[in-house]
Amino acid sequence: MSRDEISRRYTLNDFKHSGTRGVTAADYAYQIKRLVHPDIHTPISGLMSEYIVGLKEYAATLHKAQQANGGRFLDLNDYTLEGVQVVDAHTYRIKVYGKYPQFAYWLAMPFFAPMPVEAEQFYAQDGMHQNNLTLDWWPVGSGPYYLSENNPNQRMVLTRNPNFSGETYPAEGEAGDREAGLLRDAGKPLPLIDKAVFSLEKETIPYWNKFLQGYYDAAGIASDSFDQAVSVSVGGEASVTEEMRTQGISLSTSVATSTLYMGFNFLDATVGGDSERARKLRRALAIAVDYEEFISIFANGRGVSAQSPIPPGIFGYREGEAGINHYVYDWVNGAPKRKSIDEAKKLLAEAGYANGLDEKTGQPLVIYLDTTATGVGNKSRLDWLRKQFDKINVQLVPRSTDYNRFQDKIRRGDTQMFYFGWNADYPDPENFLFLLHGAQGKVAKGGENASNYSNPEYDRLFEQMKNMPNSPQRQAIIDRIVEILRRDSPWLWGYHPKDYVLHHNWLHNSKPNKMANNSLKYLRIDTAQRDALRKQWNQPLLWPLWLGAIALLAFVWWLWRTLRQREEAR
């Protein structure tokens, strides 16, 4: 197609012809090669180069080829990758260095989605990029839906892929799924809905009102609407309010596979290091900062206090008394209870800071917290945090900055404490525990260990554990690892957020799953019920119009009478 013809096209719908074919193993192999394409930034390219045989050398080969071909389309099929072999039309083989069980999780991520070479050739045509006809704006895939409308500032639409087939709704599930009605569609071809529309609402109030009117099938809960939507029992159980229940709205909750924490910089002379003095200081602060109170005040109770880096639902997490951080909590009446402030003050004194004063200098202990929290709404959180430190007479000084400056300080190790968090890439404890692995030190290695924590025993056990299959032996090693972390306290462990989602009773098969991004194809909507309830809930109120009309007529009559009286007076 000529550049002139392309210049008149702005969406894929402007092209008269479209071709399709079945997915082959070669498409998967081609995408693996694209991980190190010179023109594509792939976040996992460095990690995968350490595992996929020959990928690092392949990257160098493509770099040279790109320089030599003068900017023309680079067909990766012309270059062989040692670690990837296409066996037949539906089978391919990947060779990795050593043993890496987590590789199976990576294969389920979008980085490894099949990519036909024809798609790259199509988008590489001259003039396509100028009209925003690019692969990242109009992706090509083989799933149950395709992106038919892409306007991120207003709405995006996913439409059923007419060529998708061969997948049916599962007939088996977890305990309780059948009783909850989650298996009623067993055996039906997927997907169950034809179109999904995602609209951008810039304000929470109209978003919430439209959900209550039935124009959105599901919704999260903003803090302003929490009390209207959710009631929490004395035992801490959350459920919808009577108002929501009457409207047929139900609540789904799930603990996110995420950890939000405050880290100590182990390179800092005051809060860092492996001395017993520094350990006791960090433990004292861990007791003083009451995350249960934080969750109650700032998250409407939507969170679980962390006892280690590993969140619930990930192998290695321990329930009950076996899972508490006994340096910070006691087990009382079947539940963890934070140790007293007196215990924190005792630890602080043993660390050489009795009553918050440095025994060597006599000066108050001042700790600096680096954060990107610069907005008005964050002031209350920082004020709360200062009060937590004040409980043991330690002064906290927040240093707010922009994100780029903050990242620069983290890279150089110019911090004492900092806010951070981590979302699971895949459901394995290695993906959380590596954040404190010495080989991942931020300053020394440029890794993800922002605390620059280093403990030889921890590192040894981590290397032993990371590639093991889940087993009692692996659990035992994780228990030892977690105990080391609790003793050294490189983080204030923070909390694991809890997600609350409301949905109307015409939306079926909705089940929280924090690690799956393909749940849309299982959802079913009773459109007849939705349309009927929308009509019922949004009946027009005509009496204000009639009242306005009467008032207008009365005003016209009064005006006519006044003018008439003036005429008669003349």
Side-chain angles (χ1 to χ4, degrees), residues 149-169:
E149 183 178 337
N150 187 16
N151 183 1
N153 293 320
Q154 185 173 1
R155 76 177 208 158
M156 301 172 73
V157 179
L158 294 177
T159 302
R160 177 196 289 268
N161 178 1
N163 300 302
F164 181 82
S165 63
E167 190 171 351
T168 58
Y169 194 94

Side-chain angles (χ1 to χ4, degrees), residues 428-444:
D428 191 88
E430 179 266 346
N431 193 234
F432 287 92
L433 297 177
F434 93 108
L435 297 171
L436 291 160
H437 185 208
Q440 284 285 330
K442 178 67 73 174
V443 173

Side-chain angles (χ1 to χ4, degrees), residues 473-543:
Q473 293 76 18
R474 195 184 198 206
Q475 180 68 65
I477 295 174
I478 292 173
D479 291 342
R480 291 164 61 190
I481 285 175
V482 169
E483 179 61 23
I484 292 172
L485 292 178
R486 289 169 176 165
R487 182 197 68 205
D488 290 349
S489 195
W491 295 352
L492 296 188
W493 298 111
Y495 72 104
H496 310 297
K498 201 171 185 179
D499 294 334
Y500 283 38
V501 177
L502 298 170
H503 53 82
H504 290 285
N505 60 2
W506 60 69
L507 178 65
H508 301 278
N509 304 333
S510 177
K511 181 179 178 180
N513 186 336
K514 303 308 299 180
M515 296 307 301
N517 296 316
N518 64 341
S519 57
L520 179 63
K521 62 185 176 183
Y522 301 110
L523 299 182
R524 175 171 58 84
I525 292 176
D526 186 336
T527 54
Q529 181 186 9
R530 181 175 65 182
D531 292 343
L533 288 174
R534 275 183 184 173
K535 185 176 181 180
Q536 176 184 332
W537 294 340
N538 299 284
Q539 290 290 333
L541 296 177
L542 298 179
W543 65 264

Side-chain angles (χ1 to χ4, degrees), residues 5-22:
E5 290 177 300
I6 292 175
S7 67
R8 297 191 296 270
R9 289 164 170 78
Y10 300 95
T11 74
L12 293 188
N13 296 325
D14 294 334
F15 292 87
K16 186 177 296 185
H17 303 289
S18 63
T20 186
R21 62 170 175 79

